[in-house]
Amino acid sequence: MFPLIPITPDPTLVQLGPLSIGWYGLGYVIALAVLLYVTQFEVERRGISRNHVWNALLIVGVLALIGGRLYHVIDEFELYKDNLLAIVLPPYSGLGLYGGVLGAFIGIVIYTRWQKINLRLALDSVIAGTFFAQGIARWGNFFNQELYGPPTDLPWGIAIDCLHRIPQYPCSSYPVDTTGFHPLFLYESILNIAAGFIVLYLSRRHLHRLYPGDLAAFWGIWYGATRGMLEFFRSGWNWTVGGIPTAQLVGIGLVIIGVVWIAYNHRPGSKPFDYPEPIVPAPPPPDPFADDDELADDDAFDDDDEFEDDTGTADKQAEADAEGAADEQAADEHVDDDKDDAPPLA
């Protein structure tokens, strides 16, 4: 067996003295930027000002970080039980997605109640960006050499060094140079990004057929099923309930909630939802720092247009006056002819 990606990346991007910046953190920053960029257009599509996206960022972001960190600590408690301060002191080495989503959900609930915004519309607005963000952030698992499955001889297998191996796959039995593992992070990344495009398509083409909350329910069904299926490929879980991985149980729960939610929204007799009018952004104001030469050129161009218009108008007026004079002269000649032809008076 030989992996298509025979490299074992360093999780650290930059080392600045005692402070290290990892690829994992960079992935989260890029993911957050994409999430915010996409969401500002989606909220406007549902009649909500994009300003709310930026105003809610602090409370939603803080609660998402707290939730993600707590989920990770519970999942990997063996790493922290002998040093509890490591939970809150840097460097921070892990976040749990389900915990982050739960924290963000709580933050959205708080903000929408405060601002009196429709919660279900707000949730639907963040779904596309959330899928894209999840797909991007999953690449941090590649650099951390985590979220991989069993050995495989498929051409897209990835190498995992001995330090990051779980006990089931020791290097003595599975040499680094010849063993590839299923890149579960890649499978999840592809599925998440594909789901993001599906949500954008539904929002733009079939929004009138959707009810508020349908897309949030779709996230629960899609991601719950994706994570639940991928957990079958993993082994060596830390957090289990009754021998079943907690992530798999949560995924199953999300699928059930999503199906029930959509069934309730589209129950017999339900009327189409009257969405608010989309918000059309105002045109940008003129640039106060525009180059003076450019402004002068624009003014000169406008003056030329006015001059051409004035000249054209004068020419047309002159032609009209000439035609009028010719008509009057012809009329006079016609009167003279009539006088010549008249009989003499008695």
Side-chain angles (χ1 to χ4, degrees):
M1 294 182 289
F2 189 77
L4 176 66
I5 309 176
I7 59 174
T8 52
D10 185 349
T12 302
L13 172 62
V14 178
Q15 186 71 42
L16 302 174
L19 178 64
S20 61
I21 301 175
W23 288 100
Y24 196 86
L26 176 63
Y28 265 83
V29 171
I30 297 175
L32 177 61
V34 172
L35 169 61
L36 295 173
Y37 178 77
V38 174
T39 300
Q40 65 181 353
F41 298 106
E42 290 300 291
V43 295
E44 289 183 336
R45 190 176 302 279
R46 292 162 176 82
I48 303 173
S49 172
R50 68 172 60 184
N51 292 335
H52 288 297
V53 176
W54 306 101
N55 294 338
L57 177 60
L58 180 60
I59 183 172
V60 174
V62 169
L63 291 177
L65 287 174
I66 293 175
R69 185 63 176 169
L70 286 176
Y71 189 98
H72 166 75
V73 170
I74 295 172
D75 187 25
E76 304 279 353
F77 191 68
E78 290 294 322
L79 300 177
Y80 299 96
K81 65 179 183 179
D82 296 327
N83 184 14
L84 296 180
L85 285 179
I87 297 174
V88 295
L89 295 178
Y92 303 113
S93 58
L95 296 170
L97 187 138
Y98 280 138
V101 169
L102 178 59
F105 172 76
I106 294 173
I108 293 174
V109 170
I110 294 173
Y111 184 82
T112 52
R113 287 181 65 86
W114 173 36
Q115 295 292 326
K116 296 179 174 57
I117 298 172
N118 187 306
L119 173 61
R120 292 180 296 168
L121 289 181
L123 291 176
D124 283 350
S125 301
V126 304
I127 295 303
T130 297
F131 271 126
F132 290 134
Q134 289 176 219
I136 295 171
R138 274 298 169 218
W139 279 88
N141 298 126
F142 169 69
F143 291 97
N144 283 0
Q145 298 187 63
E146 55 193 6
L147 196 59
Y148 57 88
T152 178
D153 57 358
L154 293 172
W156 53 80
I158 58 173
I160 302 295
D161 64 29
C162 300
L163 181 63
H164 296 86
R165 296 284 185 91
I166 59 176
Q168 288 86 337
Y169 307 121
C171 288
S172 58
S173 302
Y174 302 91
V176 175
D177 295 335
T178 58
T179 305
F181 292 86
H182 276 286
L184 299 187
F185 79 90
L186 177 62
Y187 302 158
E188 186 175 323
S189 176
I190 293 173
L191 289 171
N192 284 333
I193 292 175
F197 283 112
I198 292 174
V199 170
L200 288 181
Y201 172 79
L202 292 175
S203 294
R204 283 157 173 71
R205 299 288 186 176
H206 301 286
L207 187 62
H208 63 285
R209 301 174 60 181
L210 301 177
Y211 288 86
D214 279 356
L215 295 179
F218 173 75
W219 178 88
I221 295 171
W222 184 284
Y223 187 72
T226 297
R227 189 64 182 272
M229 291 298 298
L230 291 179
E231 289 297 318
F232 283 113
F233 288 86
R234 297 183 66 191
S235 57
W237 306 281
N238 296 302
W239 188 6
T240 62
V241 177
I244 303 176
T246 304
Q248 200 166 41
L249 292 174
V250 175
I252 295 172
L254 287 174
V255 172
I256 295 174
I257 294 173
V259 171
V260 172
W261 192 337
I262 290 180
Y264 176 78
N265 277 351
H266 295 265
R267 63 192 181 277
S270 57
K271 298 180 180 179
F273 181 77
D274 187 16
Y275 280 90
E277 287 295 322
I279 295 178
V280 179
D287 185 3
F289 301 102
D291 205 10
D292 292 340
D293 293 338
E294 294 179 2
L295 293 175
D297 291 342
D298 292 341
D299 292 341
F301 180 76
D302 293 339
D303 292 342
D304 290 342
D305 290 342
E306 294 176 359
F307 176 76
E308 290 177 0
D309 291 341
D310 294 342
T311 302
T313 302
D315 292 342
K316 291 179 181 179
Q317 185 63 42
E319 292 177 0
D321 293 342
E323 291 177 358
D327 291 340
E328 292 178 359
Q329 182 178 358
D332 292 341
E333 293 176 355
H334 179 69
V335 171
D336 293 340
D337 292 341
D338 290 340
K339 291 180 179 179
D340 295 339
D341 295 338
L345 294 176

